Amino acid sequence: MARYIFITGGVVSSLGKGLSSAALGALLQARGFSVRLRKLDPYLNVDPGTMSPFEHGEVFVTDDGAETDLDLGHYERFTGVAARNTDSVSSGRIYSTVLEKERRGDYLGKTIQVIPHVTNEIKDFISIGDDEVDFMLCEIGGTVGDIEALPFFEAIRQFSQDKPRGQCLFMHLTLIPYLAAAGELKTKPTQHSVKELRTIGIAPDVLVCRSEHPIPQKEREKIALFCNVRPENVIAAYDLKSIYEAPLAFHREGLDQAILDAFNIAPAPKPDLSRWEDVADRIFKPEGEVNIAIVGKYTRLEDAYKSINEALTHGGMANRVKVNVKWVDSEIFDTEDPAAHLEGFHAILVPGGFGERGTEGKIKAAQFAREHDVPYLGICLGMQMAVIEAARNVVGLKNAGSEEFDHESGDNRFEPVVYHLKEWIQGNHTYRRKVSDDKGGTMRLGAYTATLKEGSKVAEIYGTTTIEERHRHRYEVDIKYRDQLEEKGLIFSGMSPDGRLPEIVEWKDHPWFIGVQFHPELKSKPFAPHPLFADFVRAAIDTSRLV
Ligand code: GLN
């Protein structure tokens, strides 16, 4: 049976609970333990799939097709453990399950209440697969005191009571602000936040204190005394130059030791931190730099493209260069010449996206990259735009476009080179969809196999002809146009195993121009950079030598 670590947050949001949980997972692995991380979100959406990226950042997709919180991306990047559908849950999902059961009559006429029906549902969720790992880390989204999070706090309190003593531990993240006028660190908000937790029956064992200034021993002792934790369990978390320094920084602060001591695991296995030392070495000692433009729509919020940002950093690490990313709003190209904005970049990336706004600019970015031999990586919508660009400007289909834009506007303006997918196969399951279907969870989602063409650039980059990558889209490039496009040099170098769905296109006579229908960024790790990102950055380095 797994040991449980529940991670909560107090004082303010955005303290980095997800990262801290992920880094702790990595440290436990470094001590030889197996881990799984889980996120419990108090919001009422059934999943984040339908939320705007401005609301909640990127939607992270798992192999088994769940649309989850971006923290699951951190978990995967730090631990390498592929997240599952059962690693992310929201109040919305919990309530809808409870209500479904009520409608089915599963509760045999009982009155349905938050305690015990909702809390039981949460506890059942927490225990899924608990015989598979040594440690289950469960992060509760939001901040202690939030009304909607109460059932989750109550459920983890009950859960720790249900288990034998010593099986569960509570780690609480807080903020120790510095008051410049007084020249002092202030511990009162932390005291209040712990008091709030204790009111609902949870006594934290370990406090992780975010602070912009060193926390002196005296202050740690004060926090320990007032919050009823051991002084060595007051762990400082300072701002870091790179998130990938977090495992080493937490280890220096004694977090993993404090956790193992709290569980009475003695003697504690020695940690092997070589993976993280190598990662830090690559990040902090680059031997050059490249400039990459990301041409997209959600440029105002970098969290919207979290995994792409990270995958580019990993690609840089693979080549020992620093990647400088500049976000360029594609709508600028509606009125301005792309050359003025894109010249000087060593590579261009067009990421995924939804809706027509900004797409003409993305098409122009693809055209600029093709015509100027600039490395181009098009992801999902970025591939679709590259195909539309080729169809319009190389094949001569002037009206080439995507059905997505016609569906959105209700017009019929485009020749659908990219069309709405109504039926597809995964393994031995056939999916069927209508344009009028619900928006939530109805896309082609999760890991699908693709077969790569022998001798293609992508086959060389991957070093294999069978790959598996994660998808999240409703529209597809129509193979009807394949012959016309291939004749002009745009090769369909990756296809679904049944040969119906284009997965990858690449320009034959271009130094590096690849469009992929999937999201390779979701599988990249700092210690295992994704081959496409590693090679894209390598191509950018080549370009930088030319200019
Ligand atoms: N909007 C496009 C589709 O649904 C692309 C989606 C994406 O880029 N993730 O097919």
Side-chain angles (χ1 to χ4, degrees):
M1 202 192 340
R3 291 180 170 91
Y4 280 84
I5 303 174
F6 293 106
I7 300 119
T8 56
V11 184
V12 291
S13 58
S14 306
L15 285 178
K17 254 191 320 207
L19 272 173
S20 307
S21 308
L24 174 58
L27 284 178
L28 291 169
Q29 283 181 321
R31 298 268 191 172
F33 297 105
S34 58
V35 300
R36 178 161 287 283
L37 287 107
R38 259 179 199 161
K39 178 88 192 270
L40 290 82
D41 271 310
Y43 51 72
L44 283 169
N45 302 62
V46 172
D47 64 39
T50 50
M51 278 193 231
S52 148
F54 292 123
E55 290 283 320
H56 203 67
E58 166 184 271
V59 174
F60 190 81
V61 181
T62 58
D63 280 331
D64 56 7
E67 297 177 277
T68 70
D69 188 82
L70 58 74
D71 276 325
L72 270 77
H74 291 313
Y75 303 165
E76 280 203 19
R77 284 187 283 274
F78 278 81
T79 64
V81 177
R84 299 178 191 152
N85 179 12
T86 45
D87 292 332
S88 163
V89 83
S90 63
S91 292
R93 161 105 43 219
I94 296 284
Y95 278 98
S96 74
T97 313
V98 169
L99 294 177
E100 264 167 42
K101 286 188 181 171
E102 188 273 336
R103 291 289 86 183
R104 269 204 313 264
D106 291 5
Y107 296 116
L108 306 176
K110 286 255 177 324
T111 309
I112 313 306
Q113 295 181 297
V114 172
I115 305 171
H117 301 98
V118 170
T119 47
N120 280 352
E121 199 62 44
I122 298 172
K123 289 197 285 181
D124 288 350
F125 172 82
I126 293 171
S127 3
I128 296 170
D130 81 343
D131 49 350
E132 292 174 19
V133 287
D134 300 321
F135 285 97
M136 193 76 88
L137 283 71
C138 299
E139 179 193 345
I140 314 294
T143 308
V144 57
D146 295 348
I147 288 178
E148 55 190 10
L150 274 174
F152 287 108
F153 286 114
E154 170 60 13
I156 60 175
R157 183 197 67 74
Q158 290 176 16
F159 192 90
S160 74
Q161 282 299 108
D162 298 345
K163 295 283 170 193
R165 263 187 191 285
Q167 194 82 22
C168 299
L169 178 154
F170 294 96
M171 175 169 125
H172 189 56
L173 236 87
T174 72
L175 176 71
I176 310 283
Y178 178 79
L179 277 197
E184 275 178 15
L185 286 170
K186 290 293 176 192
T187 64
K188 195 68 85 188
T190 295
Q191 294 178 36
H192 277 288
S193 162
V194 170
K195 191 170 140 206
E196 183 83 37
L197 260 186
R198 291 169 72 188
T199 309
I200 50 179
I202 294 173
D205 302 281
V206 174
L207 289 179
V208 173
C209 303
R210 283 296 301 268
S211 172
E212 290 175 356
H213 290 264
I215 308 176
Q217 189 56 26
K218 191 168 74 51
E219 295 303 313
R220 292 178 197 236
E221 281 165 15
K222 184 172 164 192
I223 298 167
L225 181 65
F226 282 91
C227 298
N228 199 33
V229 299
R230 291 162 189 265
E232 61 274 22
N233 289 5
V234 177
I235 307 291
Y238 303 123
D239 294 347
L240 302 172
K241 284 205 284 300
S242 161
I243 56 170
Y244 298 120
E245 214 190 332
L248 296 177
F250 274 131
H251 177 69
R252 278 197 301 272
E253 279 292 321
L255 176 63
D256 43 337
Q257 192 60 54
I259 297 277
L260 297 181
D261 288 348
F263 278 117
N264 266 325
I265 298 177
K270 292 240 164 317
D272 173 7
L273 295 165
S274 49
R275 167 184 277 185
W276 296 102
E277 280 152 6
D278 179 52
V279 163
D281 189 63
R282 285 171 182 273
I283 285 206
F284 295 125
K285 294 186 199 135
E287 289 161 9
E289 48 189 273
V290 289
N291 302 326
I292 296 183
I294 302 186
V295 181
K297 187 169 65 167
Y298 307 111
T299 49
R300 275 186 288 137
L301 187 75
E302 292 196 13
D303 265 2
Y305 293 122
K306 187 93 208 145
S307 294
I308 290 189
N309 226 352
E310 297 308 322
L312 283 172
T313 304
H314 307 159
M317 289 158 64
N319 293 281
R320 288 197 169 271
V321 295
K322 178 168 182 287
V323 177
N324 302 316
V325 170
K326 169 113 194 285
W327 301 80
V328 180
D329 184 352
S330 59
E331 282 181 281
I332 296 178
F333 304 157
D334 288 347
T335 49
E336 292 176 36
D337 179 12
H341 295 272
L342 295 178
E343 246 154 34
F345 285 106
H346 307 130
I348 295 169
L349 189 152
V350 175
F354 293 85
E356 185 173 8
R357 194 162 60 78
T359 50
E360 287 302 321
K362 293 177 190 177
I363 292 171
K364 285 186 188 158
Q367 180 178 11
F368 177 87
R370 176 178 58 80
E371 290 176 347
H372 294 81
D373 279 353
V374 180
Y376 176 93
L377 176 56
I379 294 178
C380 207
L381 188 72
M383 161 180 170
Q384 298 173 356
M385 295 305 105
V387 172
I388 291 172
E389 192 279 316
R392 282 188 194 170
N393 302 327
V394 185
V395 176
L397 303 169
K398 290 289 168 234
N399 281 335
S402 169
E403 260 192 324
E404 178 172 9
F405 313 148
D406 278 346
H407 287 158
E408 203 180 35
S409 64
D411 299 331
N412 231 338
R413 295 163 298 156
F414 293 116
E415 172 164 358
V417 169
V418 176
Y419 71 104
H420 188 278
L421 188 66
K422 311 270 185 325
E423 192 183 305
W424 70 94
I425 298 163
Q426 185 183 40
N428 37 27
H429 185 76
T430 304
Y431 289 87
R432 292 199 175 83
R433 297 277 188 265
K434 293 191 295 298
V435 177
S436 58
D437 277 346
D438 283 354
K439 286 284 170 266
T442 51
M443 286 186 260
R444 180 148 90 98
L445 284 167
Y448 283 81
T449 306
T451 311
L452 311 187
K453 200 186 201 118
E454 297 271 0
S456 63
K457 181 169 256 126
V458 282
E460 187 192 317
I461 292 170
Y462 275 98
T464 173
T465 51
T466 308
I467 60 164
E468 201 157 276
E469 294 280 6
R470 297 183 193 168
H471 290 246
R472 181 173 184 253
H473 56 105
R474 241 179 273 281
Y475 296 84
E476 292 291 332
V477 170
D478 196 333
I479 41 168
K480 215 165 66 189
Y481 299 92
R482 177 182 181 156
D483 290 348
Q484 279 167 290
L485 288 159
E486 287 204 328
E487 208 172 285
K488 297 287 183 189
L490 187 68
I491 307 302
F492 286 43
S493 52
M495 297 295 293
S496 59
D498 62 5
R500 286 177 55 213
L501 306 175
E503 293 278 7
I504 307 179
V505 295
E506 60 184 64
W507 276 108
K508 198 166 62 181
D509 299 319
H510 187 287
W512 210 102
F513 192 113
I514 294 173
V516 292
Q517 188 55 76
F518 46 81
H519 290 274
E521 71 274 18
L522 301 179
K523 283 174 71 165
S524 190
K525 322 267 184 314
F527 45 83
H530 191 285
L532 275 179
F533 280 89
D535 207 61
F536 179 57
V537 173
R538 188 204 50 71
I541 298 171
D542 283 353
T543 316
S544 75
R545 294 208 175 100
L546 300 173
V547 289

